[in-house]
Amino acid sequence: MENYNNNNSAAICVRPFKVSDADDLLSWGSDDRVTRFLRWNSITSKQEAINYINNVAMTHPWRRSICLHDRSIGYVSVRPESGDYRCKAHVSYAVAAQHWGKGIATAALRMAIPEALKEFPEVVRVEALVEVDNEASQRVLHKLGFHKEEDCTQYYINQVKAKFDGKWLCGLCSEAVRDEVNRGKKLSPSGMEEAVKAHMSFCGKIKSNPAVRVADGMRQMLRRRSIDLPGARSSSTSQVAGSSGLPLH
């Protein structure tokens, strides 16, 4: 079986979708094995594939076709959050089932993430949400340098929201909020709300924060090493249990 991880990725490219990809998109996008962990249902007709390309892929902030010999065999997306959370982005992807286990997803994301981050200079953290039983996707992210932060069952998500004024925070943000609470001795519910708002304000002003400018310099250094560390910015994975959770989109 051909493997594309070991200096054999020249046939793989990541490019914008084209309407002419419709037949190939229908081929892999109609496979329930591929769409099982996605936020969209299987595509059932060529017209649906065309509509997807025109109305979803081409209007997305950064969604690209993963191609093998310029034939679409999957997709990869990088979507920054907005407002106070624009310093973070989520990555998602899928590859046609017949190409699983060949290293294609790993090679494609290694190309895609650095390219996408060039278009989103405010992003300093890349995250991925992965179902607990999607072990192949977990392995891909591990190879790319992502670090598992938490197992996110719905119960766990509810617990986090209950602690942080109804907000769903990642592991690093929740630690920062706890530090803010402890520094200010803000133990009341309003104190937690103030701490969450303070951290959101910090994320919103990330470009003007001296400490973050130092981190940004480190990020630029790591970006230059993108061949070895493709996820040069802070990266993490969170696992979500159950198909009703938050799978990759």
Side-chain angles (χ1 to χ4, degrees):
M1 179 178 67
E2 194 166 16
N3 187 287
Y4 294 88
N5 267 334
N6 302 317
N7 301 317
N8 191 27
S9 60
I12 301 171
C13 73
V14 176
R15 60 161 173 76
F17 274 94
K18 304 181 291 187
V19 174
S20 58
D21 292 324
D23 287 327
D24 291 331
L25 172 59
L26 177 60
S27 176
W28 60 263
S30 62
D31 189 338
D32 291 341
R33 294 172 298 172
V34 176
T35 62
R36 174 187 174 192
F37 296 113
L38 304 182
R39 290 178 184 244
W40 38 279
N41 296 324
S42 297
I43 295 172
T44 60
S45 70
K46 183 174 180 178
Q47 187 57 52
E48 281 189 31
I50 292 173
N51 292 341
Y52 172 89
I53 292 170
N54 287 329
N55 301 326
V56 178
M58 289 185 175
T59 62
H60 192 280
W62 206 92
R63 178 160 295 194
R64 299 292 187 267
S65 173
I66 299 174
C67 296
L68 183 62
H69 303 295
D70 204 39
R71 298 286 299 271
S72 180
I73 60 167
Y75 87 96
V76 56
S77 293
V78 177
R79 179 187 288 276
E81 294 195 20
S82 58
D84 293 325
Y85 296 102
R86 62 184 179 274
C87 57
K88 299 192 294 185
H90 295 272
V91 62
S92 59
Y93 51 91
V95 171
Q98 64 265 36
H99 296 295
W100 290 352
K102 300 179 181 179
I104 290 177
T106 304
L109 265 67
R110 184 172 284 122
M111 299 173 191
I113 293 175
E115 287 300 312
L117 294 183
K118 291 177 183 177
E119 299 186 23
F120 306 122
E122 290 187 320
V123 172
V124 296
R125 176 181 172 85
V126 178
E127 302 176 345
L129 299 174
V130 186
E131 299 259 3
V132 292
D133 55 347
N134 191 353
E135 295 181 358
S137 187
Q138 296 170 37
R139 287 194 295 270
V140 168
L141 295 169
H142 179 73
K143 291 175 184 176
L144 293 169
F146 281 68
H147 300 283
K148 176 182 172 182
E149 287 192 338
E150 52 214 10
D151 289 330
C152 306
T153 62
Q154 189 59 52
Y155 173 79
Y156 177 78
I157 291 172
N158 292 339
Q159 291 291 100
V160 171
K161 287 184 176 181
K163 292 178 181 177
F164 297 104
D165 192 39
K167 302 295 190 301
W168 166 236
L169 304 182
C170 70
L172 291 179
C173 289
S174 63
E175 288 300 319
V177 170
R178 288 193 186 98
D179 287 344
E180 179 72 18
V181 170
N182 292 335
R183 280 197 299 269
K185 303 299 182 181
K186 301 171 181 176
L187 302 178
S188 67
S190 61
M192 177 60 73
E193 180 181 359
E194 291 174 13
V196 171
K197 289 181 178 178
H199 182 68
M200 292 172 65
S201 177
F202 166 81
C203 289
K205 297 176 181 178
I206 195 165
K207 297 297 284 187
S208 62
N209 186 283
V212 174
R213 284 202 295 270
V214 174
D216 186 68
M218 296 178 65
R219 181 194 69 194
Q220 297 299 329
M221 177 184 70
L222 290 172
R223 179 183 283 175
R224 289 193 292 270
R225 297 179 58 207
S226 60
I227 294 177
D228 296 322
L229 295 173
R233 304 182 187 198
S234 177
S235 56
S236 68
T237 62
S238 297
Q239 297 182 359
V240 182
S243 59
S244 62
L246 300 172
L248 293 174
H249 59 284

